[in-house]
Amino acid sequence: MVEIKNLTKQYGQITAVNNISFTANKNEILGFLGPNGAGKSTTMNMIVGYLPPTSGQILIDGMSMNENPKEVKKKIGYLPELPPLYLDMKVIEYLKFVAGIKEVPKSEREHQVARALSRLKITDMRKRVIKNLSKGYRQRVGFAQALIGDPQVLILDEPTVGLDPNQTMEVRNLINMLRKDHTIIFSSHILQEVSAVCDRIVIIDKGQIKAVDTKENLTGAAEGDIVYILKVEGECKSVEAVLKKISGIKNIMEVNYVDEKTSEFKIELEAEDVRKEIISEMLENDMSIIEIKKMTMSLEDVFASYTRGRSYSGLATEEIDDDKK
Amino acid sequence: MFALFKKEVQSYFYSPLAYVISALFVLIYSLSFITWITSLEKLNLQFSFAAIFYDQFFYFIFLIPMLTMKTFAEERRANTEVLLMSTPLNVFKIVMGKFLAIGLVFFMIMALTFLYPLITTMYGEVRWGSLICGYLGFFLWGMGCVAVGMLVSSFTENQIIAAIFGEAAMLLLFFMDGFSQIQWMQNKPVLSSLLSAVSPKVRFEGFATGVFRLSDMVFYILFITVFLAWTMISVEKRRWNRG
Ligand SMILES: Nc1ncnc2c1ncn2[C@@H]1O[C@H](COP(=O)(O)OP(=O)(O)OP(=O)(O)O)[C@@H](O)[C@H]1O
Ligand SMILES: [Mg+2]
């Protein structure tokens, strides 16, 4: 449905998007994951035809924006990073205006506006002036705007930013509800969010694609890992020595010096029950465990695994040696 | 495009701006109307509404950048430009929709002053032909200024800057024929005649004195077209240069 081929965007000297290609299939939710400044918004602005690409091609339903801008634009609903609102307007006026510029047939306007209002649960707010709405509600009005015109493709740039947890859940549910007849590309820098709703995920960093994979493979690679945070009373170096002896520990990812007597480790285990072994080893060596908790994988970890690799490099020993010198 | 037109017209009435501008406009008009009337008896002159336009245009054109300053600057600042650009509207429709909307607002403000000729008919005689001619010229010149103001607004994200540079552009247009008269210019006849040929004020004289010339009208239409086209290019170019 949305095909992107060798897309590049340069702002003067800066290459914001560097030769990326990916495809979003029909009725699929594609997550667009990346840290700040990765080029997510730039890519989305190009897909909707606002920013002209430096080079490369974007096909929506097999059509390119250059050949048939009007038809292509009618197929797309866009929620930009900052919702494009006219603050002086009332919510309902605004949505009717959007229906007008999107050339929704007159007979359908009323219906579409009402549906968008109810989908975003802002029907009660329809008579309010947008200026007086809270950030979360403004975000929802922006989302409602994207649904007007009944587009097949929805491009949502961080749709849940600024929403409270309840509203975030509601928006995710809405995206889930829309999935059956929409192709959705939505960006975020929160892995949980993307993995909760997306079928496939594109990871982008510094304008380049790091990985394109299904949710299962990608988060499986990350979430299948068993990662624990272990806080122990004992000197870094000696605790590490003990940990290194335990064969069930795949990899020591991070060593943090807390104070003289306490240290914190981020470790990856081969299996859940290696935990028991760790606990007993610690007891044997007279080191008491302050805390042991399971980590949910963060975006950084996924990135780390796609960009840096995951091997252990014996940080602690070297660091402590440095301190002594 | 009609939806955009409607929204633009409405937007002038959400804020006090349109009311303030029309109040100022009518005030200036009234003042000069009164001045003329009271001096009529002394001078035994014929009274002409068009003469008021000519006399007061200097003040009028300074109100126009206030109407045009927000057209593109505000769209860009509020990030609503991306909404317009990602809908089936194209740049031509966006610029025309906005231009026509300001045209309507300008027309409404101008229509307020029509009250005076109406009152005058009750007590005296109005020469409708020259009156309409004057109004037509005034409207055309006004719309030319609107096109220039929109172009200036498309250069910036800041309304105030758009207003200030808009005023500067108005001044330039207003004094253009003045420049062509100065000594230095007189030595360069080609430049001088060129300057006065493209000066919108010179073209207005005909309308103001009740003489309708097709060439003057064509001049204004061309003038408007050139500046609107330039605005479209400028808006499109911004899109290429920004993010
Ligand atoms: N108008 C611009 N001019 C110059 N550089 C720009 C412009 N817009 C964006 N950039 C640069 O392009 C890169 C990508 O920006 P972009 O806004 O696409 O990131 P993003 O992935 O959306 O980040 P975020 O999560 O913060 O929204 C950044 O390095 C940014 O500084
Ligand atoms: Mg962004």
Side-chain angles (χ1 to χ4, degrees):
Chain A
M1 194 70 185
V2 181
E3 275 174 87
I4 289 168
K5 291 181 196 153
N6 306 95
L7 194 65
T8 297
K9 177 74 194 180
Q10 281 172 327
Y11 294 112
Q13 294 295 316
I14 307 165
T15 307
V17 172
N18 192 355
N19 199 22
I20 64 171
S21 309
F22 63 86
T23 306
N25 303 318
K26 203 168 164 60
N27 298 352
E28 176 181 59
I29 305 187
L30 190 78
F32 207 44
L33 189 65
N36 293 133
K40 303 184 294 292
S41 304
T42 305
T43 307
M44 294 189 145
N45 277 328
M46 287 192 281
I47 297 175
V48 302
Y50 174 51
L51 278 183
T54 308
S55 66
Q57 217 186 5
I58 301 167
L59 296 178
I60 311 280
D61 207 4
M63 282 190 286
S64 115
M65 191 62 86
N66 303 335
E67 286 160 19
N68 204 342
K70 202 167 158 175
E71 284 311 306
V72 172
K73 285 178 178 179
K74 275 188 184 175
K75 287 182 192 287
I76 305 178
Y78 182 35
L79 169 61
E81 198 160 29
L82 298 166
L85 305 172
Y86 293 100
L87 299 182
D88 287 332
M89 286 179 140
K90 288 183 184 142
V91 172
I92 183 111
E93 272 173 352
Y94 171 71
L95 293 179
K96 281 185 176 161
F97 161 67
V98 173
I101 57 173
K102 288 194 178 175
E103 299 178 3
V104 176
K106 276 224 163 57
S107 54
E108 268 184 54
R109 280 186 202 172
E110 202 82 11
H111 164 70
Q112 287 208 8
V113 168
R115 191 175 60 179
L117 283 170
S118 77
R119 278 182 168 174
L120 272 300
K121 304 208 167 59
I122 47 176
T123 310
D124 294 341
M125 297 286 167
R126 67 186 186 282
K127 297 257 169 68
R128 298 273 293 270
V129 177
I130 296 175
K131 196 163 36 187
N132 302 333
L133 295 180
S134 69
K135 186 173 184 320
Y137 275 99
R138 288 185 191 186
Q139 183 76 17
R140 291 207 233 173
V141 176
F143 200 142
Q145 166 275 122
L147 297 180
I148 301 271
D150 217 355
Q152 295 163 40
V153 179
L154 287 175
I155 310 286
L156 310 172
D157 199 350
E158 309 201 14
T160 58
V161 161
L163 302 185
D164 67 32
N166 276 335
Q167 296 189 356
T168 305
M169 276 316 294
E170 279 177 16
V171 167
R172 279 190 212 167
N173 292 341
L174 176 65
I175 293 176
N176 255 324
M177 191 190 97
L178 294 170
R179 78 188 318 151
K180 62 177 185 296
D181 46 7
H182 291 85
T183 303
I184 303 175
I185 299 184
F186 103 92
S187 80
S188 174
H189 49 256
I190 307 163
L191 176 71
Q192 278 79 10
E193 171 162 289
V194 172
S195 58
V197 286
C198 295
D199 302 311
R200 281 194 312 141
I201 299 175
V202 175
I203 294 186
I204 179 172
D205 187 24
K206 301 198 182 79
Q208 281 171 321
I209 291 190
K210 295 294 175 192
V212 185
D213 216 332
T214 60
K215 170 174 98 187
E216 285 73 25
N217 289 347
L218 210 56
T219 55
E223 281 179 350
D225 295 348
I226 308 161
V227 178
Y228 276 89
I229 299 272
L230 179 71
K231 210 170 174 184
V232 183
E233 208 177 288
E235 206 196 336
C236 267
K237 207 173 161 185
S238 42
V239 178
E240 197 192 347
V242 176
L243 287 177
K244 270 185 167 174
K245 273 187 265 170
I246 303 170
S247 57
I249 297 182
K250 222 194 287 180
N251 141 22
I252 301 178
M253 295 158 88
E254 251 178 70
V255 183
N256 290 317
Y257 173 86
V258 182
D259 59 43
E260 305 249 303
K261 278 199 282 182
T262 337
S263 43
E264 200 182 68
F265 295 84
K266 190 166 172 188
I267 48 179
E268 195 185 335
L269 310 185
E270 234 124 65
E272 287 284 353
D273 48 359
V274 178
R275 210 173 53 220
K276 290 180 199 145
E277 200 184 330
I278 297 174
I279 295 173
S280 60
E281 279 293 320
M282 290 284 136
L283 284 176
E284 238 165 70
N285 289 283
D286 212 19
M287 293 162 174
S288 71
I289 294 176
I290 299 169
E291 190 184 343
I292 179 162
K293 73 170 181 224
K294 189 160 183 184
M295 274 277 295
T296 42
M297 283 301 253
S298 67
L299 175 58
E300 291 78 58
D301 298 319
V302 178
F303 271 122
S305 54
Y306 277 98
T307 52
R308 271 182 265 129
R310 270 183 286 180
S311 63
Y312 168 63
S313 54
L315 290 166
T317 351
E318 279 162 26
E319 262 170 26
I320 290 169
D321 284 347
D322 283 350
D323 282 352
K324 278 178 188 162
K325 276 173 207 166
Chain B
M1 187 171 111
F2 180 71
L4 178 67
F5 170 77
K6 192 173 137 202
K7 173 236 137 198
E8 286 290 317
V9 173
Q10 276 173 352
S11 77
Y12 282 100
F13 296 95
Y14 290 134
S15 68
L17 192 71
Y19 301 102
V20 171
I21 293 175
S22 28
L24 271 174
F25 190 93
V26 173
L27 182 74
I28 294 171
Y29 193 92
S30 308
L31 283 179
S32 62
F33 184 71
I34 292 166
T35 327
W36 271 87
I37 296 237
T38 46
S39 58
L40 268 185
E41 289 179 351
K42 275 181 277 174
L43 299 173
N44 195 21
L45 276 175
Q46 261 218 319
F47 174 70
S48 135
F49 281 101
I52 296 187
F53 287 136
Y54 195 63
D55 201 36
Q56 299 300 316
F57 205 91
F58 186 70
Y59 303 110
F60 293 156
I61 62 168
F62 282 94
L63 296 175
I64 286 175
M66 294 186 192
L67 284 177
T68 57
M69 65 183 180
K70 73 186 184 72
T71 40
F72 292 100
E74 183 61 14
E75 282 309 336
R76 191 165 292 131
R77 196 196 56 75
N79 204 38
T80 45
E81 193 182 31
V82 51
L83 174 67
L84 300 184
M85 295 284 196
S86 60
T87 53
L89 286 172
N90 54 28
V91 175
F92 175 79
K93 284 181 176 171
I94 294 172
V95 171
M96 285 313 285
K98 283 172 176 281
F99 177 72
L100 294 178
I102 302 175
L104 181 65
V105 173
F106 182 64
F107 186 81
M108 287 194 281
I109 294 174
M110 206 175 75
L112 289 176
T113 65
F114 213 70
L115 204 63
Y116 288 103
L118 286 183
I119 293 172
T120 314
T121 40
M122 287 193 259
Y123 300 100
E125 190 197 350
V126 173
R127 279 210 252 131
W128 290 103
S130 78
L131 179 76
I132 301 291
C133 190
Y135 266 97
L136 179 67
F138 183 59
F139 183 68
L140 286 172
W141 191 1
M143 290 312 280
C145 293
V146 167
V148 174
M150 282 174 66
L151 174 67
V152 173
S153 182
S154 76
F155 289 148
T156 169
E157 289 188 17
N158 185 320
Q159 286 194 45
I160 307 298
I161 290 179
I164 293 170
F165 281 92
E167 301 293 4
M170 297 299 136
L171 264 182
L172 211 67
L173 285 180
F174 191 81
F175 288 114
M176 217 155 141
D177 71 317
F179 290 140
S180 66
Q181 307 297 319
I182 60 173
Q183 197 61 49
W184 184 80
M185 276 292 184
Q186 293 296 302
N187 300 332
K188 300 176 177 58
V190 181
L191 199 62
S192 159
S193 55
L194 188 77
L195 209 56
S196 71
V198 296
S199 159
K201 193 178 159 203
V202 175
R203 300 288 173 163
F204 183 61
E205 266 159 39
F207 286 107
T209 46
V211 185
F212 177 81
R213 275 190 293 260
L214 195 65
S215 65
D216 290 344
M217 180 140 160
V218 170
F219 170 81
Y220 278 117
I221 291 173
L222 268 177
F223 184 87
I224 292 169
T225 312
V226 166
F227 278 94
L228 286 183
W230 191 353
T231 308
M232 288 170 205
I233 292 168
S234 156
V235 170
E236 187 68 14
K237 200 160 155 261
R238 280 294 290 229
R239 202 162 68 90
W240 281 86
N241 292 342
R242 66 164 272 148

